[in-house]
Amino acid sequence: MSPWRPRLVESARMKYLGIVEALEADVRSGRVRPGDRLPPQRAIAEALGVDLTTVTRAFNEARRRGLVDAQAGRGSFIREGLDADRQIGRLGATPMIDLSMNIPPQPAAAELQKAIPKGIAELLSNPRGMLHLHYQESTGSEPDRIAAAAWLGRRMETISPSRILVASGAQSALFAICESQLRPGDTIAAGSMTYPGLKAVATQKGLAMTPLTMDKAGIIPDAFEEACRSKAPRALYVVPSIDNPTTATLSEDRRRRLVTIARQHNVIIIEDDPYAPLRPQTTPALVSLAGDITWHIATLSKCATPALRVAYVVAPGNTQALRLAGVLRATTLMAPPLMAALASRWIADGVLEAITAAIRNENAERQKLAASLLADMKFAADPHGHHLWLWMPSHWRAADFAEHADRSGIAIVPSSIFSIAAMPVEAVRVSLGVAPDRAALEDALTLLANLISQPSLATRAVV
């Protein structure tokens, strides 16, 4: 058993840094010593109630700072020979380029820097503005649900506000849906590569997960039908537009086939669609094809900013919406009222669309840059998405490549983080948004391109 009891420093700027800072403090205090083994990443994630990606990012940062070493097949250890008093504080001087977090590109933040303070000031200057600082309904206020219906209506059939709830982010919405619809032991089907947040919910809820075979166009409907016959899943989880991590967008034909199969086998659909606003083209959402069996999640984190903590949920009906509101009341109570009101204002005055357009345009430029620098590599990407899916050549394993990239100051995410299959594909997700500018992104991608072409490093990585 590891002597380190996972914790995080609540005052840290980001959760992954809170884990690293807690580990640093415990090394300084002597609670853990050089050579001590750390708990498995999944155990840390469960203990702290965070997703596995956050812990992986923390381990990457801890290795970069020289706090820990990883030994293949044995785990991670506090680095031998570490002089805590002399070395901690000097570690981490080398800047790291983070290509692991899938957030909108930073240059688009210029729009936000103007829009956020201006919008909040205008909201609070209104005679009724202070109401946005009060408790509100767990469903979200009626004006916010009406605004959500207007925004969603631009790319799907008309949705009644009574079916819409405002949640504090997509992850809390996903957990609440699973809490309200699924029981421990139920099976949820998803692509063999899927969102790590779903894996965290499944672990927390005691759900079984069955992987569905995917190709370059996304989940294969025949694989879903076979799973329905052999595994009897209660739910299908799907990211239909610019899938995370594979970047695939399901065609209308595949969406219709998935809906048909779900109806035949009495399977509910959880449609997590954060990237749809980034695509210039509109493909019918599953909720438009099968609104009576589909739970649709539309967050603003990918088309505006995760700082809003606002996601809209479309329930199959009014009764289901009220049931979900009960779960949200017991877990997160409500979405942040001021941020929800700000989002509604942005929807009404066109600011949200302008921010999304700025993100879409910057993504397009970054994807062009990536395509030119990785021209000799095999990868999948959407021209307006935040990330790309880079397949490994035969001489690299994804985990080894990610570790070598980390040692070089580049954080990326290996396929094992996303996989629910026994044998994950050898690929890594490279997120293009966090790099502060295109020059920094070019440096990082150039380093990755050079690294992937060096089989000698790959050979040394296999132990």
Side-chain angles (χ1 to χ4, degrees):
M1 180 178 294
S2 170
W4 190 57
R5 300 185 64 181
R7 64 188 185 89
L8 56 81
V9 175
E10 297 291 345
S11 60
R13 182 168 54 88
M14 300 183 76
K15 284 185 178 180
Y16 85 97
L17 292 176
I19 298 172
V20 178
E21 290 172 15
L23 183 59
E24 282 184 340
D26 289 347
V27 171
R28 278 201 192 96
S29 69
R31 290 190 183 97
V32 288
R33 301 178 180 277
D36 282 348
R37 184 174 184 172
L38 296 175
Q41 292 186 31
R42 192 174 300 277
I44 295 175
E46 292 176 3
L48 299 179
V50 300
D51 61 66
L52 187 58
T53 306
T54 298
V55 179
T56 299
R57 196 177 180 196
F59 269 58
N60 288 341
E61 178 65 13
R63 283 197 297 272
R64 187 184 71 82
R65 298 186 184 192
L67 281 171
V68 303
D69 284 327
Q71 299 179 20
R74 297 191 60 215
S76 296
F77 299 80
I78 302 298
R79 184 162 65 87
E80 294 282 3
L82 179 65
D83 185 334
D85 291 331
R86 293 172 56 188
Q87 290 178 269
I88 294 180
R90 294 191 292 108
L91 301 172
T94 303
M96 183 172 225
I97 302 177
D98 188 349
L99 304 185
S100 68
M101 296 298 286
N102 223 21
I103 67 172
Q106 301 302 290
E111 295 283 342
L112 293 171
Q113 290 172 345
K114 296 180 291 184
I116 291 176
K118 180 176 182 292
I120 290 176
E122 291 173 350
L123 283 170
L124 296 180
S125 66
N126 186 286
R128 296 175 59 82
M130 295 304 290
L131 293 176
H132 300 310
L133 304 182
H134 294 178
Y135 288 108
Q136 293 188 2
E137 302 96 328
S138 296
T139 56
S141 72
E142 184 176 10
D144 292 337
R145 289 184 285 112
I146 291 172
W151 183 65
L152 292 168
R154 297 171 188 174
R155 60 181 186 277
M156 62 181 67
E157 66 178 18
T158 301
I159 301 291
S160 168
S162 63
R163 289 174 55 196
I164 296 175
L165 301 95
V166 185
S168 55
Q171 185 65 27
S172 64
L174 178 59
F175 179 86
I177 291 169
C178 290
E179 178 68 24
S180 69
Q181 299 298 305
L182 306 176
R183 298 177 179 178
D186 280 349
T187 295
I188 183 166
S192 56
M193 294 287 130
T194 195
Y195 170 50
L198 176 67
K199 295 171 66 175
V201 171
T203 299
Q204 184 72 25
K205 282 283 300 170
L207 304 174
M209 299 190 72
T210 188
L212 303 177
T213 304
M214 307 175 73
D215 60 17
K216 64 181 181 180
I219 292 172
I220 299 174
D222 287 346
F224 176 43
E225 187 164 29
E226 173 58 30
C228 288
R229 291 172 178 156
S230 61
K231 302 293 185 181
R234 179 74 183 90
L236 167 68
Y237 172 86
V238 60
V239 179
S241 307
I242 318 180
D243 176 58
N244 178 20
T246 69
T247 79
T249 292
L250 290 171
S251 66
E252 180 175 349
D253 178 65
R254 284 206 180 187
R255 296 179 192 216
R256 291 187 180 278
R257 289 179 64 194
L258 290 174
V259 163
T260 298
I261 296 165
R263 287 195 184 282
Q264 290 173 344
H265 295 273
N266 195 30
V267 177
I268 65 170
I269 299 171
I270 302 173
E271 180 180 31
D272 193 355
D273 208 11
Y275 304 103
L278 300 176
R279 299 184 69 241
Q281 310 88 354
T282 299
T283 306
L286 277 74
V287 70
S288 295
L289 303 175
D292 58 319
I293 61 170
T294 301
W295 294 83
H296 180 90
I297 305 172
T299 181
L300 302 185
S301 292
K302 309 302 183 182
C303 65
T305 171
L308 287 176
R309 306 313 306 141
V310 171
Y312 303 124
V313 180
V314 180
N318 297 350
T319 301
Q320 293 96 324
L322 291 174
R323 183 176 179 184
L324 186 68
V327 178
L328 291 172
R329 188 178 303 114
T331 51
T332 58
L333 186 60
M334 62 182 181
L338 185 58
M339 293 296 98
L342 180 61
S344 296
R345 187 180 188 89
W346 284 357
I347 290 169
D349 61 19
V351 171
L352 180 57
E353 182 54 41
I355 292 171
T356 302
I359 292 170
R360 185 187 301 121
N361 293 338
E362 179 62 25
N363 277 349
E365 293 303 315
R366 292 184 175 217
Q367 290 287 359
K368 290 176 185 176
L369 177 63
S372 67
L373 294 171
L374 304 176
D376 296 331
M377 316 298 170
K378 183 183 178 184
F379 66 92
D382 184 283
H384 300 96
H386 297 327
H387 68 285
L388 58 86
W389 186 234
L390 179 62
W391 283 287
M392 296 290 96
S394 59
H395 59 268
W396 273 112
R397 294 186 308 188
D400 296 329
F401 182 72
E403 182 177 344
H404 277 285
D406 177 75
R407 292 175 185 173
S408 300
I410 311 296
I412 54 178
V413 187
S415 52
S416 57
I417 299 299
F418 306 97
S419 179
I420 59 173
M423 297 292 290
V425 299
E426 297 295 346
V428 297
R429 190 190 71 184
V430 180
S431 299
L432 309 181
V434 187
D437 50 48
R438 293 177 206 167
L441 178 62
E442 181 174 4
D443 289 343
L445 293 175
T446 299
L447 188 149
L448 290 181
N450 291 336
L451 181 61
I452 204 171
S453 65
Q454 299 181 41
S456 59
L457 288 178
T459 300
R460 288 200 297 272
V462 178
V463 295

